[in-house]
Amino acid sequence: MLFTKGRLQIIPDSPDVVVYGSPREARSAVITGRVVYATCTPRAVTSLVVRFRSKHEELFNPAMSVACQAELTAIVVKDGRVCAPSSVQAYDEASGQQEWRFALSVPGNVSETVFTPSAFVAYELMGELRTSGLMPWMPFGRAMCTTPLAVKRVPAEDSLWAALAAEPLDVAASWRSRLELSATAASRIVNDAQTYHVTGVVRPLAKGVRLLRAAFELRETIDGPFDADSARGHAAARCSHELCLSAPSPNSMQMRTAFAPTVAPELPGMAIDQEIQVAGALHVPRAYGQIQYDIAIGPIRVSHEVVFIAQVAEESGEVHSVRLSTGVYVLPCTGPPAVDLPRYENSAKDVLLASTEKLTSTEQLASAEQMTSTELAHLWAHRANDNTPPPEYCAVANT
């Protein structure tokens, strides 16, 4: 047991590194965490280094690493002494562990984590610990470990990117002066592992057109060094409503009309003789699998769009697929830190509310029906001695 080198483990405070703002304006992010070294007996640690580096290619994975971030190093222990701003906890004999706190700064222009079939950008924390030998003639011990770490980017508060992403989605377009499509949503921000609700409207501009199918798609386009001529695109999420079938499949699609729809048994679909509203729910998968976050600048660029598809048939029997698309932003579901706002009763002008609370606590001793005359006299005397000024109201001029 004296010759075991122990087990080293890096435990970051957060599994993600969140950078706020575009690469040109974002500030540095700080990675904090713990380094835990478990041994049966206390060992003299002479060196401890934590590195933030890009993840290398795997042996049987055809994807190549295209991260261009240089390796960043935080020296926790050097020559047996803890370096600032790191800290150390003494060896705990009960658990057999010794801990160090570390902090590492990452530049704001770091590339975000992304995975594609041909290339990827990924990062990891690597810890390297060295101990002195138990005897002078014994060699030093060495322990290493790695922990994956994802880098995510979100818009900075009050930035143009945040304003564009938070605005409501509202687009419309007409097709051959016969049909008009429109799509609306509460925001252009799409969070992974959640449901994105979007509503489409089909308006008739001419008679004789029938609606066969309505669908929504969340399409992803990836542009990187592996595509010399064109970018790759695929549908990350999809929901549709088939009107050619007698019973549509349940897939989070609802259709509404102001009046009963016109349905002809000999003709498929629904006659577009009134406004048809289609409500859909796109179940967005979790990031780093079937979908990636938006990346505007970097070795791999990713963009997304919501597509409203209406398949229609004309009187001649010719079938057309009409598409309406608009850009959206797939972002991680992270918000700014909570702000401790002042309470309403802490306002200096709110003397009336403070007096009301004080009187309420006095009146809780008994209800008005159960009070005696003596108790009522004390209550009114308390109100008479109260120096709270009466409320003031501003007159509003009539125009």
Side-chain angles (χ1 to χ4, degrees):
M1 300 298 291
L2 294 177
F3 299 97
T4 58
K5 64 179 181 179
R7 182 172 61 90
L8 188 66
Q9 186 180 9
I10 297 181
I11 306 175
D13 293 338
S14 175
D16 306 323
V17 181
V18 182
V19 184
Y20 293 88
S22 64
R24 297 186 180 94
E25 62 183 9
R27 297 181 179 180
S28 300
V30 179
I31 305 173
T32 58
R34 299 178 297 144
V35 181
V36 180
Y37 185 51
T39 55
C40 298
T41 57
R43 304 290 295 272
V45 177
T46 59
S47 173
L48 176 59
V49 178
V50 177
R51 295 184 176 90
F52 174 79
R53 66 180 188 180
S54 58
K55 193 175 181 180
H56 301 296
E57 295 90 348
E58 298 179 357
L59 181 60
F60 298 103
N61 189 357
M64 63 177 180
S65 175
V66 293
C68 54
Q69 176 63 44
E71 184 176 278
L72 304 175
T73 304
I75 300 177
V76 182
V77 179
K78 182 178 181 180
D79 297 332
R81 297 181 179 180
V82 179
C83 301
S86 304
S87 61
V88 61
Q89 293 185 5
Y91 180 80
D92 186 4
E93 296 183 357
S95 60
Q97 295 181 351
Q98 189 173 2
E99 295 185 6
W100 295 265
R101 294 286 305 179
F102 72 92
L104 185 63
S105 180
V106 178
N109 60 352
V110 61
S111 299
E112 300 96 297
T113 300
V114 58
F115 294 93
T116 69
S118 302
F120 68 90
V121 176
Y123 303 95
E124 62 183 3
L125 286 175
M126 187 194 73
E128 182 179 359
L129 180 141
R130 297 194 178 195
T131 59
S132 59
L134 297 177
M135 300 295 179
W137 48 268
M138 294 182 61
F140 63 87
R142 182 183 180 186
M144 299 179 62
C145 68
T146 57
T147 299
L149 201 66
V151 175
K152 301 178 181 180
R153 188 177 301 276
V154 296
E157 189 177 1
D158 298 333
S159 63
L160 179 60
W161 182 15
L164 293 176
E167 69 178 4
L169 187 149
D170 190 359
V171 293
S174 60
W175 173 73
R176 295 184 180 180
S177 300
R178 306 201 63 185
L179 201 67
E180 180 181 338
L181 297 182
S182 63
T184 58
S187 172
R188 291 182 180 268
I189 297 178
V190 180
N191 298 126
D192 64 313
Q194 295 188 11
T195 302
Y196 184 71
H197 297 275
V198 60
T199 301
V201 177
V202 182
R203 297 183 180 90
L205 301 179
K207 296 181 179 181
V209 182
R210 305 185 66 84
L211 180 62
L212 303 180
R213 174 177 173 266
F216 290 100
E217 287 185 357
L218 176 61
R219 296 196 60 84
E220 180 180 73
T221 302
I222 301 177
D223 186 10
F226 43 79
D227 292 319
D229 300 329
S230 60
R232 301 182 180 181
H234 70 280
R238 180 186 293 109
C239 61
S240 62
H241 190 105
E242 299 286 348
L243 298 179
C244 297
L245 306 179
S246 58
S249 58
N251 49 15
S252 304
M253 292 283 289
Q254 295 181 358
M255 304 193 66
R256 301 173 183 173
T257 56
F259 306 97
T262 303
V263 179
E266 67 278 3
L267 297 176
M270 177 191 303
I272 310 178
D273 52 4
Q274 59 180 320
E275 184 178 285
I276 302 175
Q277 181 178 351
V278 183
L282 292 169
H283 302 288
V284 185
R286 190 173 298 277
Y288 305 136
Q290 300 179 8
I291 196 171
Q292 310 295 319
Y293 293 122
D294 267 59
I295 301 177
I297 301 175
I300 301 176
R301 296 172 297 278
V302 184
S303 60
H304 300 86
E305 62 178 359
V306 169
V307 184
F308 179 32
I309 305 173
Q311 190 175 24
V312 298
E314 298 188 81
E315 292 179 333
S316 60
E318 188 176 0
V319 178
H320 304 275
S321 183
V322 186
R323 302 164 61 91
L324 175 64
S325 62
T326 183
V328 293
Y329 302 90
V330 177
L331 301 175
C333 187
T334 57
V339 180
D340 188 12
L341 297 176
R343 293 175 60 85
Y344 180 74
E345 56 266 25
N346 293 338
S347 175
K349 297 181 180 180
D350 190 20
V351 293
L352 184 61
L353 178 60
S355 174
T356 303
E357 291 182 349
K358 182 170 60 177
L359 293 178
T360 302
S361 61
T362 305
E363 292 172 351
Q364 286 178 351
L365 297 175
S367 62
E369 297 179 355
Q370 298 175 353
M371 281 187 178
T372 63
S373 59
T374 305
E375 293 173 339
L376 287 174
H378 284 292
L379 177 60
W380 285 109
H382 173 77
R383 294 185 177 181
N385 296 328
D386 193 3
N387 297 324
T388 303
E392 297 179 359
Y393 302 93
C394 299
V396 179
N398 297 327
T399 58

